[in-house]
Amino acid sequence: MSVDEPTETSGQDLGAIAAIDIGTNSIHTVLARVLDRGRYEVLTREKATVRLGSGGGDMDTLDADAIDRGIAALTRAAQLAVERNALVVAVATSAVREASNSKAFIRRARDEAGVSVEVISGVEEARLIHLGVLGALPVFDRPHALIDIGGGSTEVLYGTGDEVTASRSFKLGAIRTTRRFFPDGLFGAGPEKARSRQMRAAQAHVASALAPFATAVADLPAEVVAGCSGTIETLAAMARAKAGENGRSANGSTMTRRELDAVVDAILEATSLDDLKALPGMEPSRADIIVGGALIVQGAMDAFGWERLTISEGSLREGVLEEAQARLTGGDTAHLADLRRHSVEHLLIATDEDPDHARCIARLSLAIFDGLERVHGLGAEHRELLEAGALLANVGLMISHSAHHKHSYYIVRNTDRLSGFNDREIEMVAQLARFHRKARPDEQRHPEFGALSLVDRAVVRTLAGILRVAVGLDRSHANKVGDVEVLVSADEVSVVASPTEAGGDIDLELYAGAANTNLLAEVLGRSVSVSGAA
């Protein structure tokens, strides 16, 4: 389905979604009416050029003025959503992801604009862009690649169908690269020799950043290469203008390497910013940063051996919309859930020498969670996080047995293999891995835990309490405990375990499970006992 052509409106109206992409250069909003059978109709699109990434240093701070512009844009987007009673899903990328004062922006977005912002990783950004591309271009059945150039980062992905074969996020962006190598602007470089020297330095930097990943994917096929983002759309518009094709829709159009080179030559031949803005096809608000973006596109086409880009107007915000639509309607969500589970399994297999033990712990954890449903009041989202935390609790053993729970936290928190989880969910899974043993979660002693919201701290405490009991019930790593029944009374919880094999000896498991009940008893406000079935 093309994101630019409204679908037929005869389907059942299931509500509306406002997908907001908070980028380094712009904040984009797409408001859509959700229909049945996995379809939606775009109602309106809004763009605000706010330049969140305009702060000093290597984009490590959001300027106060930029935050003000961002909050104003989010307030307008929220007003659009309110008018349609739309579900708002907002994601933030490079600028907010890297800023030391990102929490101030997120807090103001919530308090002043009423928008809850999710900060997503570069790899998660690439995955969502991929969903947007699949909705915009007919590439599902062909091996494909994509490149999206933002203000602060560039995402490259290889895939087949809706499966991601390989992806990487680079700290290369139109704003970041332009300001690093042309701090006084393209026309502030002085003599032509100085500008040429800056160009060569920028080209070498781009090539160096891309080279390792280009080598890693050299053997992967890509019958179509999709180019996303305002930078690439602007360059393609300039190429079409040179060919006298200004009236064509951008989506599905192509730009060859030769056409790109001609556009870059025209950019470099301009003698002033006004001349640059006046070039046919140029988006004036992007003129001051276009050189950095253009050099990244050229460098990528060189590094990956691409000869042609197919322009996709579906990108991150459309991917956010596609995923939110699936979740809202209860439609085709199986692949989304599988994506998360498969990524957890992938990390488990890569790092844990005893994955069967992890799967046993996960099974027992879920059994206890289900048995306590009317006590803990948690939902399916938390059940999924518990399963992920249980499966990944011991991945730190690949580093060292000593303090392996701390190593598990680090691995889970910093891996790029957990697709489909947002930043908050990854943090909670990492916390579960961290607190599956040893010290109990404490706001004062554990800063990462203290940084969670009050609600999320309560969730982590409850799930960690369950996980600790489950860990004890597989103390021998032999999957000796089969069924688990949970009996709940006003002041007591009884966990009753049965052996996998009739007459099996689970005394060690019962002892270890009982020794690990303190945290669970504390969070439930009841005594917790562990015993064998009669």
Side-chain angles (χ1 to χ4, degrees):
M1 177 185 65
S2 171
V3 297
D4 296 293
E5 300 173 2
T7 60
E8 57 183 336
T9 59
S10 58
Q12 180 184 0
D13 189 337
L14 299 175
I17 298 171
I20 305 175
D21 165 11
I22 304 169
T24 301
N25 186 54
S26 306
I27 293 180
H28 290 265
T29 302
V30 55
L31 181 65
R33 184 165 70 97
V34 178
L35 306 174
D36 56 5
R37 299 187 296 277
R39 300 174 300 132
Y40 63 83
E41 176 185 6
V42 173
L43 301 173
T44 189
R45 297 175 187 273
E46 296 287 339
K47 174 189 173 183
T49 302
V50 298
R51 294 283 171 91
L52 278 178
S54 60
D58 190 22
M59 300 180 66
D60 58 358
T61 305
L62 301 176
D63 280 350
D65 289 347
I67 292 178
D68 288 341
R69 293 192 296 270
I71 299 305
L74 287 179
T75 300
R76 293 192 295 271
Q79 289 170 346
L80 283 176
V82 168
E83 291 171 2
R84 293 289 305 196
N85 193 29
L87 168 70
V88 176
V89 183
V91 298
T93 57
S94 178
V96 179
R97 186 165 63 229
E98 297 180 32
S100 59
N101 59 339
S102 61
K103 289 183 179 179
F105 175 80
I106 293 170
R107 182 174 60 252
R108 286 189 60 187
R110 181 193 64 223
D111 295 345
E112 299 177 30
V115 175
S116 177
V117 176
E118 289 186 7
V119 181
I120 58 175
S121 69
V123 172
E124 178 68 358
E125 183 179 352
R127 184 188 72 84
L128 290 169
I129 293 168
H130 187 216
L131 288 180
V133 169
L134 291 177
L137 297 176
V139 299
F140 189 92
D141 295 325
R142 292 186 286 173
H144 51 267
L146 68 83
I147 179 170
D148 185 292
I149 297 174
S153 67
T154 290
E155 281 65 47
V156 178
L157 179 146
Y158 279 72
T160 302
D162 59 359
E163 294 292 325
V164 176
T165 307
S167 68
R168 188 70 54 85
S169 179
F170 304 90
K171 286 190 176 183
L172 299 170
I175 294 177
R176 188 194 298 269
T177 303
T178 299
R179 294 194 172 175
R180 175 171 180 173
F181 294 97
F182 302 91
D184 299 318
L186 181 60
F187 306 102
E192 185 176 342
K193 282 187 177 181
R195 186 191 299 186
S196 296
R197 185 167 57 250
Q198 290 172 314
M199 288 284 295
R200 290 193 298 272
Q203 289 167 335
H205 175 72
V206 170
S208 175
L210 297 176
F213 187 62
T215 300
V217 300
D219 295 330
L220 295 180
E223 294 180 11
V224 182
V225 181
C228 317
S229 76
T231 290
I232 291 178
E233 288 184 27
T234 297
L235 295 170
M238 296 175 72
R240 292 198 306 276
K242 277 182 169 292
E245 301 174 346
N246 295 343
R248 288 176 55 191
S249 170
N251 196 66
S253 64
T254 62
M255 178 174 61
T256 65
R257 173 59 198 268
R258 179 176 295 181
E259 290 171 334
L260 172 64
D261 289 345
V263 168
V264 174
D265 287 343
I267 291 171
L268 296 178
E269 288 169 4
T271 58
S272 69
L273 185 59
D274 287 339
D275 287 346
L276 195 54
K277 290 180 178 180
L279 289 176
M282 172 66 75
E283 181 184 336
S285 65
R286 195 176 293 276
D288 64 326
I289 60 170
I290 195 66
V291 63
L295 294 179
I296 296 169
V297 181
Q298 278 189 320
M301 295 187 82
D302 281 343
F304 299 103
W306 300 333
E307 290 299 322
R308 180 186 304 268
L309 296 180
T310 299
I311 309 306
S312 169
E313 290 187 342
S315 188
L316 176 60
R317 52 199 170 274
E318 286 77 19
V320 172
L321 176 60
E322 291 274 6
E323 182 156 291
Q325 182 260 3
R327 293 187 181 279
L328 180 67
T329 61
D332 186 17
T333 59
H335 73 285
L336 300 176
D338 288 344
L339 174 71
R340 290 156 69 103
R341 176 58 188 262
H342 289 334
S343 69
V344 170
E345 281 281 343
H346 186 201
L347 181 58
L348 171 66
I349 294 299
T351 55
D352 194 334
E353 294 182 355
D354 191 3
D356 288 339
H357 172 55
R359 295 188 186 104
C360 180
I361 292 173
R363 174 180 62 81
L364 295 170
S365 295
L366 296 182
I368 298 171
F369 179 94
D370 293 343
L372 290 171
E373 183 176 8
R374 69 183 181 89
V375 180
H376 57 55
L378 302 179
E381 172 198 4
H382 307 111
R383 189 179 192 274
E384 187 179 12
L385 296 179
L386 173 61
E387 182 178 29
L391 289 169
L392 300 178
N394 289 321
V395 296
L397 286 169
M398 70 173 296
I399 298 176
S400 169
H401 186 277
S402 176
H404 72 266
H405 52 298
K406 297 180 182 178
H407 302 316
S408 293
Y409 172 86
Y410 179 84
I411 291 172
V412 174
R413 192 65 187 90
N414 292 283
T415 185
D416 62 1
R417 299 192 184 195
L418 292 180
S419 298
F421 293 88
N422 62 39
D423 190 71
R424 167 183 163 271
E425 291 168 335
I426 291 173
E427 177 65 34
M428 292 181 73
V429 172
Q431 295 273 357
L432 291 178
R434 165 67 176 84
F435 292 114
H436 82 276
R437 65 192 291 266
K438 297 289 185 177
R440 288 183 284 182
D442 180 85
E443 294 86 347
Q444 302 302 319
R445 295 177 56 197
H446 308 115
E448 295 86 357
F449 178 73
L452 296 176
S453 70
L454 287 173
V455 172
D456 287 348
R457 272 182 269 172
V459 170
V460 168
R461 283 181 180 275
T462 301
L463 299 184
I466 292 172
L467 179 54
R468 289 177 179 224
V469 176
V471 169
L473 289 175
D474 196 41
R475 185 67 182 87
S476 63
H477 293 216
N479 195 23
K480 289 185 175 183
V481 173
D483 293 336
V484 174
E485 183 181 11
V486 180
L487 306 176
V488 179
S489 67
D491 55 6
E492 182 179 7
V493 168
S494 299
V495 179
V496 182
S498 300
T500 304
E501 298 180 0
D505 180 5
I506 58 171
D507 286 348
L508 176 60
E509 281 67 29
L510 296 177
Y511 172 82
N516 286 345
T517 59
N518 288 346
L519 178 58
L520 185 59
E522 179 182 303
V523 297
L524 296 181
R526 293 169 166 84
S527 65
V528 178
S529 64
V530 177
S531 61

